[in-house]
């Protein structure tokens, strides 16, 4: 067993925390230190490079559908004890005892060679003892899984779909609407579509999209199938969300077209389902947009899917570039890089073990981030931080050289910081003892405890010793103070190296945040969306205006391993621009106006009764 010196380990952990300016918690420092078998220098260097003692993906931009699933390794087959038949004759007397002794001896020898055997019997199956036919086990398991899923879908969670009374359905002026599914297992998917409406670039393109006119036709017919049908359903939904006078809209029809997976298991994170659903929606919309660009002769634009690949693609043209619409980010809640930019930088800045850095070749108008929370969190949990603006310049292929030079400068500054921190430790600790405390104790002794015994020479020597120790202490404290000032300056410099104008040209603004409070059901998922500079919190039928601080610092679900799980950003619109020209299809717009008139008439009569 490997024994650790707990006292020494504690001192080294405190040193690592000091080196990282207190931005890592105790558990992270311990994990990295143990990863490097107590070597402080190696642990410090690894932490500066972004290592937090946890497994991270080698590919930052890999979509969910491309992620490799690690299958559990099969257990080795248990050793089979050789069968050594021993015949025991129970009819005799002395001979019987001899045979019994030999049998016991052989049994003990076999057991001592192989050890006890545990596990299922290796005896061939006997149909007479079978409780159920053995070849139906898999079928029974599948039936049980389906039964469990069905029970969750049909369970009374206490928040089943209940339409609002008609007189409560009227939308307040300037307020958003809700988009609610009839099945509570589809609430996550409805939130994704609802959030997309509040991305200006998506809303404008959906509003102005029209299906292709058949040859000889003067008016387009609604599509019958394919991605165009999904787009048409989305156009209908978005038109209603923009023009409806009712606050409560049913998402059943549009969700039926996209066919999302049901959220039928409380243990299943809604973020995983949302990522796959978002990829499906983004793929369908981008396919329709691409056809639209070709049909109208417009230059191709990337709306929801960006193109990424290895930074050395130009040198290795055999490698393919890939498309993705959403970035998976580990929001573990346990390290100093527990923020969006920090996690992206930490996952990209390490270029070790031959792993090539991946960068964005062609950015998209919209980018989404799935905040995944895998693994077990020990120690204090921290809220994941995300900014209202994010610059992706440092992750673009065209800026890779500049970004790399800045990161190299950061590593150099962190190395200098490490030297100063270690130097300070050499001044303050020796043989695992606090030298400053010892110095102060010695000064106190010479000044207040040492007895000169009326000997002037002894008193003079005692005073000289006290003054010398005071001088040494003052010199050490001054040197530490100068080092601390230099460390603070270098940390500030390292933290702002990438905040240069050359790397702040491609800005994305936060448009929507989807949140899970950690429990299961319709009312345990909600969203924040922004409309005309105002943030709204939407949870089932509840709509309330909130501050930007609420959106950026929501800690709901933190202690249940939940919280914000999907972020939607899109490129910054020109200064002073709200929404672009929205030309909703006239037939859908006319239906919405007629529907509003009918409901106005009904409501008037209800109130007058």
């Amino acid at each position: 067993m490997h024994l650790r010196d707990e006292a020494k380990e504690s001192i080294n952990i405190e040193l690592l925390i000091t080196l990282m300016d207190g931005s890592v918690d105790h558990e992270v420092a311990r994990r990295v230190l143990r990863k490097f078998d107590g070597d402080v220098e190696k642990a410090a260097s690894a932490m500066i490079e972004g290592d937090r003692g946890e497994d991270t993906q080698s590919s930052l931009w890999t979509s969910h559908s491309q992620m490799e699933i690690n299958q559990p390794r099969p257990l080795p087959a248990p050793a089979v004890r050789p069968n050594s038949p021993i015949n025991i004759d129970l009819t005799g007397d002395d001979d019987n005892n001899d045979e019994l002794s030999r049998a016991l001896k052989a049994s003990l020898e076999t057991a001592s060679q192989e050890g006890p055997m545990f596990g299922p019997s290796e005896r061939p199956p006997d149909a007479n003892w079978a409780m159920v036919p053995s070849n139906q086990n898999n079928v029974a398991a599948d039936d049980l899984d389906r039964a469990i899923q069905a029970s969750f879908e049909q369970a009374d969670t206490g928040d089943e779909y209940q339409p609002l009374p008609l007189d409560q359905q009227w939308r307040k002026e300037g307020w958003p609407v809700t988009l609610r599914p009839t099945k509570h297992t589809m609430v996550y998917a409805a939130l994704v579509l609802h959030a997309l409406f509040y991305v200006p670039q998506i809303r404008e393109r959906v509003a102005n999209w029209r299906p292709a006119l058949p040859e000889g036709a003067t008016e387009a017919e609604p599509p019958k199938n394919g991605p165009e049908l999904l787009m048409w359903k989305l156009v209908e939904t978005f038109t209603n969300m923009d023009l409806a006078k009712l606050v409560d809209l049913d998402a059943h029809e549009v969700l039926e077209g996209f066919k999302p997976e049901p959220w039928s298991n409380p243990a299943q994170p809604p973020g995983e389902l949302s990522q796959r659903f978002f990829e499906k929606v983004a793929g369908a919309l981008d396919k329709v947009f691409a056809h639209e660009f070709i049909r109208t002769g417009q230059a191709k634009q990337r709306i929801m899917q960006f193109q990424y690949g290895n930074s050395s693609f130009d040198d290795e043209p055999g490698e393919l570039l890939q498309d993705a619409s959403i970035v998976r980010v580990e929001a573990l809640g346990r390290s100093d890089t527990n923020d969006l930019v920090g996690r992206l930088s930490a996952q990209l800045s390490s270029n070790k073990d031959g792993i090539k850095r991946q960068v964005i070749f062609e950015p998209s108008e919209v980018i989404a981030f799935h905040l995944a929370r895998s693994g077990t969190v020990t120690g204090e949990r921290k809220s994941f931080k995300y900014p209202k603006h994010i610059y992706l310049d440092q992750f673009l292929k065209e800026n890779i050289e500049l970004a790399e030079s800045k990161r190299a400068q950061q590593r150099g500054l962190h190395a200098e910081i490490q030297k100063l921190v270690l130097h300070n430790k050499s001044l303050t600790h020796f043989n695992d003892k606090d030298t400053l405390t010892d110095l102060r104790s010695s000064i106190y002794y010479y000044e207040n405890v040492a007895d000169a015994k009326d000997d002037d020479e002894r008193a003079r020597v005692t005073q000289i010793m006290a003054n010398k120790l005071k001088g040494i202490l003052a010199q050490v404290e001054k040197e530490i103070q100068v080092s601390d000032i230099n460390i603070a300056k270098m940390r500030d410099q390292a933290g702002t190296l990438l905040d240069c104008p050359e790397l702040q040209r491609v800005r994305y603004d936060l448009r929507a945040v989807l949140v899970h409070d950690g429990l299961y059901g319709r009312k345990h998922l909600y969203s924040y969306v922004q409309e005309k500079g105002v943030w709204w919190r939407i949870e089932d039928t509840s709509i309330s205006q909130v501050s930007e601080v609420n959106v950026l610092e929501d800690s709901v679900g933190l202690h249940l391993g939940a919280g914000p799980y999907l972020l939607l950003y899109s490129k910054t619109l020109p200064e002073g621009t709200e929404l672009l020209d929205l030309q909703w299809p006239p037939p859908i717009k006319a239906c919405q106006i007629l529907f509003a008139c009918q409901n106005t008439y009904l409501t008037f009569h209800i109130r007058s009764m």
Side-chain angles (χ1 to χ4, degrees):
M1 178 183 294
H2 179 64
L3 298 177
R4 294 187 178 90
D5 187 336
E6 297 293 338
K8 185 175 180 180
E9 182 181 65
S10 297
I11 293 173
N12 289 337
I13 288 173
E14 293 301 323
L15 175 61
L16 288 174
I17 294 174
T18 303
L19 174 63
M20 301 305 293
D21 195 25
S23 57
V24 296
D25 57 39
H26 192 273
E27 182 59 32
V28 172
R30 182 194 301 275
R31 189 166 57 246
V32 178
L33 183 64
R34 290 184 176 180
K35 179 179 179 179
F36 292 93
D37 296 326
D39 191 316
V40 178
E41 292 191 10
K42 289 183 179 179
S45 298
M47 291 176 73
I48 290 170
E49 293 291 333
D51 191 346
R52 296 296 177 265
E54 59 206 20
D55 294 331
T56 56
Q57 294 176 224
S58 60
S59 174
L60 174 67
W61 311 111
T62 303
S63 65
H64 192 281
S65 60
Q66 297 165 332
M67 290 172 59
E68 179 181 357
I69 301 176
N70 297 322
Q71 299 292 340
R73 296 181 180 178
L75 295 174
V80 180
R81 182 181 299 175
N83 295 322
S84 302
I86 300 175
N87 299 319
I88 302 177
D89 185 3
L90 299 179
T91 59
D93 295 326
D94 296 336
D95 293 339
N96 178 36
N97 292 335
D98 292 341
E99 291 180 359
L100 179 61
S101 298
R102 288 196 300 274
L104 291 173
K105 182 178 180 181
S107 176
L108 291 173
E109 288 176 353
T110 305
S112 63
Q113 292 173 1
E114 301 182 13
M117 298 290 292
F118 299 96
S121 171
E122 295 165 4
R123 182 174 53 199
D126 188 342
N128 295 323
W129 292 93
M131 297 181 67
V132 294
S134 59
N135 62 352
Q136 294 185 6
N137 288 343
N138 293 335
V139 176
D142 292 341
D143 290 342
L144 179 60
D145 288 342
R146 286 194 293 269
I148 291 174
Q149 284 197 5
S151 69
F152 279 122
E153 290 182 13
Q154 299 171 7
D156 182 9
T157 62
D159 58 356
E160 296 301 314
Y161 179 78
Q162 294 292 338
L164 289 174
L166 190 58
D167 60 342
Q168 297 179 20
Q169 289 192 16
W170 288 104
R171 179 182 189 176
K172 296 181 181 179
E173 185 67 29
W175 281 48
V177 299
T178 64
L179 188 63
R180 302 169 64 216
T182 53
K183 295 181 179 179
H184 68 272
T185 56
M186 297 294 169
V187 63
Y188 80 91
L191 282 179
V192 171
L193 297 183
H194 184 269
L196 284 174
F197 176 79
Y198 292 96
V199 178
Q201 291 87 340
I202 299 297
R203 192 193 306 194
E204 188 241 352
R205 291 195 174 277
V206 170
N208 296 312
W209 176 83
R210 299 292 184 273
L213 284 173
E215 187 175 352
T218 58
E219 186 175 339
E221 294 288 333
K224 302 299 182 183
N225 52 45
E228 288 77 13
L229 175 60
L230 299 180
M231 174 63 89
W232 184 258
K233 289 181 177 293
L234 201 61
V235 171
E236 290 180 325
T237 301
F238 280 14
T239 304
N240 293 335
M241 290 179 68
D242 190 42
L243 304 178
K245 299 301 181 181
L246 303 183
V247 71
D248 184 17
L249 301 182
D250 188 355
H252 176 74
E253 186 174 348
V254 67
L255 290 177
E256 280 293 306
F258 284 100
K259 300 188 184 305
E261 305 170 59
W263 182 32
S264 55
N265 185 349
Q268 187 174 25
E272 301 289 341
L273 294 170
S274 298
Q275 175 169 341
R276 291 196 289 271
F277 182 64
F278 186 88
E279 288 176 338
K280 177 186 289 188
V281 174
L285 296 191
D286 262 9
K287 186 176 292 185
V288 174
F289 291 146
H291 291 162
E292 176 80 0
F293 295 144
I294 295 173
R295 182 164 58 87
T296 60
Q298 301 178 54
K300 180 182 178 182
Q301 301 177 47
R302 290 190 170 272
I303 308 302
M304 299 187 70
Q305 292 184 320
F306 59 89
Q307 188 181 65
Y308 73 96
N310 291 328
S311 57
S312 58
F313 174 79
D314 293 337
D315 301 326
E316 301 178 21
E319 299 187 24
L320 297 177
L321 297 178
Q322 301 180 64
D323 291 341
S325 57
I326 188 168
V327 181
R328 181 186 177 93
V329 178
E330 289 294 336
L332 301 175
R334 58 188 182 190
S335 71
D336 66 308
T337 55
N338 198 41
D339 65 276
L340 183 59
V341 178
R343 290 308 259 175
L344 292 175
S345 298
Q347 290 177 226
L348 281 177
S349 61
S350 180
N351 195 18
K352 299 177 179 179
D353 303 325
I355 298 175
K356 298 169 184 174
R357 184 169 296 109
Q358 292 190 324
V359 294
I360 299 176
F361 279 70
E362 295 182 12
S364 52
E365 292 286 320
V366 181
I367 189 166
F369 297 97
H370 168 209
L371 308 183
R373 293 172 174 83
S374 58
T376 303
V377 178
T378 55
E380 181 185 0
R381 296 175 184 265
K382 296 181 181 180
S383 298
F384 188 86
K385 301 297 182 183
Y386 42 90
K388 62 179 180 180
H389 310 298
I390 182 174
Y391 295 93
L392 294 184
D393 302 74
Q394 62 174 296
F395 308 118
L396 300 182
K397 167 64 175 175
E398 62 199 59
N399 298 323
I400 187 65
E401 292 184 4
L402 176 59
E404 282 302 298
S405 66
K406 297 289 185 181
R407 293 192 183 104
Q409 292 179 49
Q410 281 183 328
R411 289 192 290 270
L413 287 170
H414 285 305
E416 291 299 318
I417 292 171
Q418 181 181 356
K419 289 179 182 178
L420 289 177
V421 171
L422 294 175
H423 176 65
N424 283 357
K425 183 187 177 185
S426 69
L427 294 175
T428 58
H429 291 80
F430 181 73
N431 287 339
D432 296 334
K433 293 183 179 180
D434 190 330
T435 55
L436 294 184
T437 300
D438 290 346
L439 274 173
R440 294 187 181 100
S441 298
S442 298
I443 292 171
Y444 180 85
Y445 170 80
Y446 282 113
E447 288 186 334
N448 300 286
V449 179
D451 187 0
K453 298 180 180 180
D454 297 328
D455 185 340
D456 293 340
E457 180 62 23
R458 184 182 180 87
R460 187 181 68 82
V461 172
T462 300
Q463 188 60 44
I464 291 174
M465 289 299 298
N467 291 337
K468 283 185 177 180
L469 291 175
K470 284 182 179 180
I472 294 172
L473 178 60
Q475 183 178 354
V476 171
E477 288 179 334
K478 183 177 181 180
E479 191 169 345
I480 292 173
Q481 183 181 14
V482 172
S483 293
D484 287 342
I485 292 173
N486 290 331
I487 288 172
K489 288 181 179 178
M490 286 189 285
R491 280 192 172 129
D492 290 341
Q493 185 181 354
T496 57
L497 270 173
L498 289 164
D499 297 337
C500 58
E502 298 86 351
L503 296 177
Q504 290 187 333
R505 294 171 178 169
V506 184
R507 195 181 94 173
Y508 287 74
D509 296 333
L510 183 64
R511 306 297 184 183
V513 181
L514 273 55
V515 186
H516 178 212
D517 68 8
L519 302 178
Y520 179 71
R522 177 187 297 275
K523 295 185 178 180
H524 297 291
L525 298 178
Y526 60 91
S527 64
Y528 292 109
V529 296
Q530 188 181 39
E531 177 77 340
K532 297 181 179 179
V534 177
W535 281 100
W536 301 88
R537 184 185 187 275
I538 299 178
E539 175 190 314
D540 197 38
T541 59
S542 173
I543 302 174
S544 58
Q545 186 175 335
V546 297
S547 68
E548 187 177 86
V549 174
N550 291 123
V551 178
L552 299 178
E553 299 183 5
D554 190 339
S555 60
V556 168
L558 178 62
H559 297 289
L560 293 176
Y565 63 88
L566 188 70
L567 308 176
L568 287 184
Y569 287 83
S570 73
K571 283 186 177 179
T572 302
L573 297 175
E575 193 68 27
T577 302
E578 294 293 339
L579 285 178
L580 300 179
D581 187 25
L582 299 179
Q583 298 293 331
W584 301 110
I588 302 177
K589 188 175 180 179
C591 290
Q592 181 53 234
I593 295 174
L594 177 61
F595 183 71
C597 292
Q598 292 173 342
N599 279 280
T600 301
Y601 176 79
L602 289 173
T603 304
F604 174 78
H605 280 273
I606 289 174
R607 290 176 176 174
S608 62
M609 290 176 64

